[in-house]
Amino acid sequence: MSAALAEVKQELGPGAVILQARSFKKNRWLGLRRQEVFEITAGRDARGAARPQRQPAARPAAAMPMPVKPAAEPQRHLLESPVAQNAAMNGIFQEVSGLKTMLQELVVNINRTKCPPQIPEELYAYYSQLIENQVAEGLASDMIKTLQKQMRPEHIRQADFVRSKLAEQIEKHLPAAGPIVRTKTSGPHVVALIGPTGVGKTTTLAKLAANLKLREKRRVGLITLDTYRIAAIDQLKKYADILGSPLRVVSTSEDLVAAVRSMQDCEYILIDTAGRSPKDALKLSELKGLLAAVNPDEVHLVLSSTSSQKCVELAITKFGEVRVDKIIFTKLDEAAHVGVVLNVIHKVNKTLSYVTTGQNVPDDIEVGEPRRLAQLILAQPGRQLIMEKLQ
Ligand SMILES: Nc1nc2c(ncn2[C@@H]2O[C@H](COP(=O)(O)OP(=O)(O)O)[C@@H](O)[C@H]2O)c(=O)[nH]1
Ligand SMILES: [Mg+2]
C-alpha cells in the first residue's frame, strides 16, 4: 500500500486526494497463484480539476515486504485522510502477517534441512534432497553415512558417481515383489486387494485384470466383497463386461467360497474388497474372516502415495491385522513427494508389488521398480517432474 501511495504521489503530485483505497486478492496463473492487489482511486484536487485516476499496484503476496517509512513532510496531508490512514494500517497489517509467514516457513525449513553433525558437508546436498522428498530423517542419514563409508574421498565430488551410489542405497531399501505370477499348475491363483476407501483398489483391480486378460491372455474371474455401495458394484461390473470376465458379488464367507469354487477354470481370481476405514475394527475383523475362508495366494494392501506418512502407517497397522503380503502404491502421478513409499516399504519390511500412475485403465500401472523409484526420489521434488520421469 505504501508503494501504491508513493506512485499516486509521483503521478499526481503532493496535492493528490485519495478518493478510495482498497486491497484484494486476485487469482493469477490459472488460479495457481494468489496475488495481492492494492488499488487506489485518486484525483488531483477535491474540486474536480483533475479526472480521478485508478492506480493499481500489484505485487506477489510472498515478495519481500516493503519497509513502511514514516510520512515525509509533503506526504503528510495525503496520509492524514481517514481512508488513507485506514489503508496504510491495513498495509502494515498485511506486511507484518506476510513477514510472520515468511519467518514460519524459514524456521520450518531450517529445522527440516538441518544438517546432522554426522553428515559430511560435501554430501549435505544429497541429504537435503532426500529430506525434501520426505524420506524419513533417520533413513536418510543412515543412507548418507553408508554412502560415505563406501566412497573414497576423491569420489565424493563426482556428482554422477555419488548419485548412482545413493540410488543403489535407495534400491536396497525398496525390495520389489515382482508381478503377480501363477506358479501352480491347477486351480486359480487367488489375489485379494485390501485397503482404505478411495485409494484406488477397484481401479487397480481393473488394471490388473485387463493386463492379465488382454496382454497375457489369461482366464480371469472377478469377485467383489464391496456390497456396501451399489455404485461400487456397477463400477466393477462395467470392467467385467468389457473384459468378458465373470463377476460374482458376495457378502458372506460361504458365498465367497462358493464363488471361488465356481471359477475353478480361471487361472486368476481377483478379489476386490470394500474400503473399510482403518478405524473400523468390527468391519476389519469381518474382512479378516472372509479372506481366511478362501486363504488367497496373495493379499496386496493398496495405499495412496498422496496420503500422509501417518495415515499410511495407521492403515498398515490396522490392515496388518487382516493380512498383508505385498504393497501397492497408487496415485504416484499426484504425489508431490515419493519418500513416503520408501519409508513405508523399509519400515514394514514388505515388498512393493505395483505402483499406479493415473486413472486410465489398463495403462496406468507398473510393476514396482526400485531403480525407477530411486530416480524419482533423487529428482527434484514436484509433481511435474514426477510425471515427466514416469512418461
Ligand atoms: N490420479 C490417480 N487417480 C487414481 C489412481 N488410481 C485410482 N484413482 C482414482 O481414485 C478414485 C478412487 O478409486 P477407486 O478405485 O474407486 O478406489 P477404492 O475406493 O479404493 O476402490 C477414482 O476417482 C480413481 O479414478 C491413480 O493411480 N492416479
Ligand atoms: Mg472400490
Side-chain angles (χ1 to χ4, degrees):
M1 187 52 84
S2 57
L5 281 171
E7 273 187 62
V8 169
K9 199 187 119 201
Q10 197 187 359
E11 194 92 347
L12 302 175
V17 175
I18 311 288
L19 300 174
Q20 196 197 4
R22 63 181 184 126
S23 70
F24 54 94
K25 296 247 164 71
K26 198 172 168 186
N27 282 335
R28 302 283 310 261
W29 301 105
L30 303 169
L32 290 177
R33 292 189 60 175
R34 303 250 301 156
Q35 198 173 49
E36 194 155 22
V37 175
F38 296 95
E39 186 186 76
I40 297 179
T41 311
R44 218 162 246 132
D45 76 52
R47 283 148 295 179
R51 200 161 42 89
Q53 289 194 2
R54 284 189 163 234
Q55 188 69 50
R59 62 183 176 79
M64 278 298 288
M66 289 269 205
V68 179
K69 291 189 209 118
E73 260 320 294
Q75 264 184 328
R76 185 180 273 164
H77 68 285
L78 241 177
L79 287 173
E80 270 169 5
S81 84
V83 177
Q85 276 181 359
N86 222 344
M89 276 312 283
N90 259 341
I92 293 170
F93 260 122
Q94 269 150 10
E95 309 239 343
V96 170
S97 87
L99 263 177
K100 213 168 131 189
T101 314
M102 270 175 63
L103 263 177
Q104 277 164 350
E105 278 170 7
L106 207 66
V107 170
V108 169
N109 274 337
I110 287 171
N111 282 343
R112 202 171 51 192
T113 57
K114 221 188 311 183
C115 183
Q118 319 90 312
I119 306 286
E121 219 167 302
E122 300 88 354
L123 295 177
Y124 174 67
Y126 301 94
Y127 173 78
S128 137
Q129 170 83 60
L130 296 176
I131 297 297
E132 275 293 305
N133 255 320
Q134 310 232 313
V135 175
E137 278 177 29
L139 181 55
S141 68
D142 279 355
M143 288 194 295
I144 296 285
K145 277 188 267 172
T146 313
L147 189 69
Q148 189 195 12
K149 279 188 211 135
Q150 284 179 343
M151 271 189 311
R152 283 200 241 123
E154 62 266 30
H155 285 149
I156 288 194
R157 288 186 203 288
Q158 297 172 13
D160 285 348
F161 184 75
V162 179
R163 280 176 74 85
S164 75
K165 284 285 172 198
L166 185 53
E168 276 175 25
Q169 281 293 312
I170 296 174
E171 287 166 35
K172 247 177 48 193
H173 289 96
L174 253 176
I180 293 170
V181 180
R182 173 177 179 262
T183 45
K184 55 178 85 164
T185 46
S186 72
H189 185 78
V190 181
V191 179
L193 301 192
I194 63 173
T197 317
V199 290
K201 291 180 299 299
T202 307
T203 313
T204 304
L205 186 120
K207 291 172 184 172
L208 290 171
N211 278 301
L212 286 168
K213 177 97 192 184
L214 305 175
R215 301 220 163 102
E216 298 184 28
K217 313 278 182 230
R218 302 292 178 184
R219 291 185 303 278
V220 182
L222 305 178
I223 298 176
T224 180
L225 300 177
D226 189 354
T227 52
Y228 294 89
R229 292 172 306 140
I230 203 79
I233 299 171
D234 280 353
Q235 185 188 2
L236 201 55
K237 177 98 181 63
K238 194 181 76 191
Y239 292 121
D241 287 349
I242 294 170
L243 295 174
S245 286
L247 167 68
R248 294 282 296 268
V249 181
V250 300
S251 56
T252 65
S253 308
E254 296 75 44
D255 288 351
L256 178 57
V257 171
V260 168
R261 206 169 287 142
S262 76
M263 293 178 179
Q264 284 303 302
D265 60 329
C266 290
E267 289 156 290
Y268 292 89
I269 295 177
L270 305 182
I271 304 177
D272 192 14
T273 57
R276 287 153 168 86
S277 135
K279 289 185 187 143
D280 201 340
L282 188 71
K283 284 184 184 156
L284 279 174
S285 68
E286 188 188 315
L287 177 63
K288 184 178 179 175
L290 279 161
L291 287 183
V294 288
N295 192 23
D297 295 283
E298 303 180 27
V299 177
H300 296 237
L301 174 61
V302 184
L303 298 167
S304 168
S305 50
T306 60
S307 307
S308 69
Q309 174 98 16
K310 225 171 143 186
C311 211
V312 165
E313 282 178 10
L314 177 69
I316 290 175
T317 312
K318 288 296 170 190
F319 284 94
E321 291 166 22
V322 177
R323 175 181 151 189
V324 175
D325 300 323
K326 298 171 184 180
I327 293 185
I328 296 176
F329 265 101
T330 60
K331 309 192 187 185
L332 236 71
D333 54 309
E334 283 187 357
H337 309 281
V338 278
V340 64
V341 177
L342 174 66
N343 299 343
V344 164
I345 298 291
H346 169 66
K347 192 165 175 179
V348 300
N349 212 8
K350 301 274 177 214
T351 50
L352 177 71
S353 54
Y354 292 90
V355 295
T356 76
T357 55
Q359 296 183 300
N360 296 320
V361 178
D363 287 333
D364 295 341
I365 187 163
E366 299 177 16
V367 176
E369 257 286 335
R371 175 146 304 177
R372 207 150 153 72
L373 281 153
Q375 299 302 330
L376 284 183
I377 291 168
L378 288 175
Q380 294 299 325
R383 186 173 159 227
Q384 274 93 345
L385 228 128
I386 290 177
M387 282 312 286
E388 272 168 30
K389 295 266 169 187
L390 285 170
Q391 273 156 13

